[in-house]
């Protein structure tokens, strides 16, 4: 069973994303801030990470940089899921090693799930 | 005919200036118009004076110098006006960006909850339906509160903010707000205490807006105190004024951020660390309302050691 780590400070989003992934048979790990997200990624080696950018304690860019510079976590694919949509943020995230960048307001839950499945298949 | 009217409108400084909601003397188009009249006036008068006073070139030079000085001052005012308008435009863009981001977060929560409620592949259980309904309710309240705060700030800034002042009891308002937050403080393991000092008197303020002030301060104190603790309110009556203080044991505000605390949309880094949501408008509204009521607001804070907010209000009608 594939493990997905969701790093997101909005508890409502944690709930809804968690539900849709669990329904499809994934094991869901939760982190409400960047520090916890990084720690759980290192300790539990998920198969994929969903990462918000605006997070308490440590923002998404800092988490992404730490993940990609640690040999334990550098190969884990990271999907950025955020409401930030400037070209600058998108380029920064993709250059930082994110597999894809999704703007929350442009996707339904099922579309997010499809993206997750596609990346896990790759 | 349409084109003529268009040109006429564009060269009419008063028509252009009315768009910007700035005083006429700060409007660049009007100032350029005045500068044009001054230049023409100086040229004409210098010509006549020079003609009649050919033997006195010093006077002519003095007039030209004085005109140059006046033009320099007008130029300075025009440049300042352009800067102010550019800054207002920048702030407007930033405001739109901040507001749209703040609205998107609860809207995304609502959309995803609706996706699950109306899923064609997985029918939600009763418990799940209840959870999704709660998400919908909580986030629509969040959007509503943001819009209310924005409208309040807009009314204050446009000067269209009448206060219906009466003699009201600050103690009664504090007790009402403490009651309102009862369930929240219990769930957060926070004890709110209220202490009165001096002979009770009433303040001269708008009761609804004073409630908003106390509510915003109390909400902040509770929200940013994690892990339980005490929030202490003290209301002190002295001659002619009442002072209110609210002390929490929360995360505190870093020294370098304290000068921004009352600005619109400011949220301290230490507050972001607690993961709490807020519009960043609450304290701005507190300051505006207290000052419009004839009072003063300030605070003391240290990171990790809590914050105390104070305000004083007059008890005598001005």
């Amino acid at each position: 069973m594939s493990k997905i780590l969701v790093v997101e400070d909005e508890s409502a989003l944690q709930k809804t994303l968690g539900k849709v992934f669990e329904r499809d048979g994934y094991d869901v790990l939760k982190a409400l801030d960047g520090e916890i997200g990084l720690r759980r990624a290192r300790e539990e080696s998920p198969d994929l990470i969903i990462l918000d950018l605006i997070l308490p304690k440590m923002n998404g860019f800092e988490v992404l940089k730490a993940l990609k510079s640690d040999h334990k976590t550098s190969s884990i694919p990271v999907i950025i899921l955020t409401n930030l949509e400037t070209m600058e943020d998108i380029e920064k995230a993709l250059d930082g090693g994110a597999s894809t960048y999704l703007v929350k307001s442009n996707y339904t839950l099922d579309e997010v799930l499809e993206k997750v499945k596609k990346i896990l298949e790759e | 005919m349409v084109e003529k009217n268009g040109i006429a409108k564009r060269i009419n400084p008063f028509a252009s200036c009315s768009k910007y909601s700035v005083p006429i003397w700060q409007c660049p188009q009007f100032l350029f118009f005045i500068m044009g009249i001054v230049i023409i006036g100086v040229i004409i008068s210098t010509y006549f004076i020079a003609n009649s006073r050919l033997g006195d070139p010093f006077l002519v030079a003095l007039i030209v110098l004085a005109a140059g000085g006046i033009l320099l001052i007008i130029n300075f005012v025009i440049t300042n006006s352009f800067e102010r308008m550019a800054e207002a435009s920048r702030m407007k863009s930033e405001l739109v960006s901040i507001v749209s981001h703040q609205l998107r977060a609860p809207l995304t929560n609502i959309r995803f909850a609706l996706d699950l409620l109306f899923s064609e592949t997985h029918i939600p259980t009763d418990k799940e339906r209840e959870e999704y309904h709660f998400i919908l309710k909580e986030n629509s309240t969040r959007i509503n509160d943001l819009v209310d705060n924005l409208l309040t700030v807009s009314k204050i800034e446009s000067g269209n903010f009448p206060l219906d002042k009466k003699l009201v009891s600050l103690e009664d308002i504090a007790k009402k707000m403490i009651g309102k937050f009862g369930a929240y403080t219990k769930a957060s393991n926070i004890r709110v205490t209220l202490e009165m000092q001096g002979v009770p008197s009433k303040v001269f303020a708008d009761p609804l807006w004073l409630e908003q002030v106390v509510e915003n301060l109390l909400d902040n104190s509770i929200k940013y105190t994690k892990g339980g603790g005490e929030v202490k309110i003290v209301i002190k009556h002295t001659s002619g004024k009442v002072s209110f203080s609210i002390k929490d044991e929360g995360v505190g505000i870093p020294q370098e951020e304290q000068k921004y605390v009352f600005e619109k949309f400011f949220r301290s880094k230490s507050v972001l660390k607690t993961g709490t949501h807020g519009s960043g408008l609450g304290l701005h509204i507190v300051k505006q309302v207290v000052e419009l009521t004839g009072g003063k607001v300030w605070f003391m804070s240290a990171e990790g050691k809590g914050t105390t907010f104070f305000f004083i209000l007059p008890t005598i009608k001005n």
Side-chain angles (χ1 to χ4, degrees), chain B residues 155-205:
Chain B
K155 274 188 217 169
I156 291 171
E157 290 189 345
S158 68
N160 180 24
F161 191 66
L163 289 175
D164 183 17
K165 291 186 188 178
K166 305 178 168 114
L167 285 175
V168 292
S169 162
L170 189 48
E171 183 190 16
D172 288 347
I173 286 176
K175 283 179 179 169
K176 184 178 175 183
M177 290 300 118
I178 292 169
K180 187 175 175 182
F181 283 92
Y184 185 16
T185 50
K186 199 175 170 187
S188 312
N189 197 26
I190 289 170
R191 196 165 55 98
V192 181
T193 59
L194 173 61
E195 183 188 322
M196 304 293 300
Q197 294 175 7
V199 176
S201 57
K202 295 192 175 184
V203 294
F204 190 62

Side-chain angles (χ1 to χ4, degrees), chain B residues 28-30 49 124 140 142 192 207:
Chain B
Q29 281 91 340
F30 176 73
I49 291 169
S140 10
R142 206 167 135 188
V192 181

Side-chain angles (χ1 to χ4, degrees), chain A residues 12 15-20 23 109, chain B residues 109-110 112-119 122-139:
Chain A
K15 195 163 273 181
T16 50
L17 285 169
K19 284 278 181 204
V20 92
R23 257 176 11 190
L109 271 178
Chain B
N109 292 343
I110 287 171
F112 283 4
L114 287 170
D115 282 346
L116 287 167
L117 264 172
F118 294 104
S119 169
H122 291 87
I123 310 293
T125 62
D126 286 344
K127 185 168 182 280
E128 284 173 342
R129 227 188 286 272
E130 205 179 303
E131 285 172 357
Y132 306 151
H133 285 156
F134 178 77
I135 290 173
L136 293 176
K137 190 175 165 193
E138 191 182 50
N139 285 276

Side-chain angles (χ1 to χ4, degrees), chain B residues 229-242:
Chain B
E230 188 189 11
V231 169
K232 189 174 173 186
I233 297 175
V234 176
I235 297 177
K236 189 173 168 183
H237 298 268
T238 51
S239 166
K241 64 177 191 279
V242 178

Side-chain angles (χ1 to χ4, degrees), chain B residues 198-262:
Chain B
V199 176
S201 57
K202 295 192 175 184
V203 294
F204 190 62
D206 184 314
L208 289 176
W209 283 109
L210 192 54
E211 280 183 16
Q212 188 68 63
V213 164
V214 174
E215 183 176 345
N216 286 1
L217 291 174
L218 187 52
D219 189 27
N220 273 0
S221 291
I222 297 166
K223 212 158 50 174
Y224 304 131
T225 301
K226 296 288 175 180
E230 188 189 11
V231 169
K232 189 174 173 186
I233 297 175
V234 176
I235 297 177
K236 189 173 168 183
H237 298 268
T238 51
S239 166
K241 64 177 191 279
V242 178
S243 65
F244 175 103
S245 67
I246 178 165
K247 181 179 188 320
D248 65 54
E249 296 168 347
V251 294
I253 305 164
Q255 182 68 34
E256 67 274 13
E257 295 180 3
Q258 290 187 6
K259 58 180 178 254
Y260 304 114
V261 155
F262 292 111

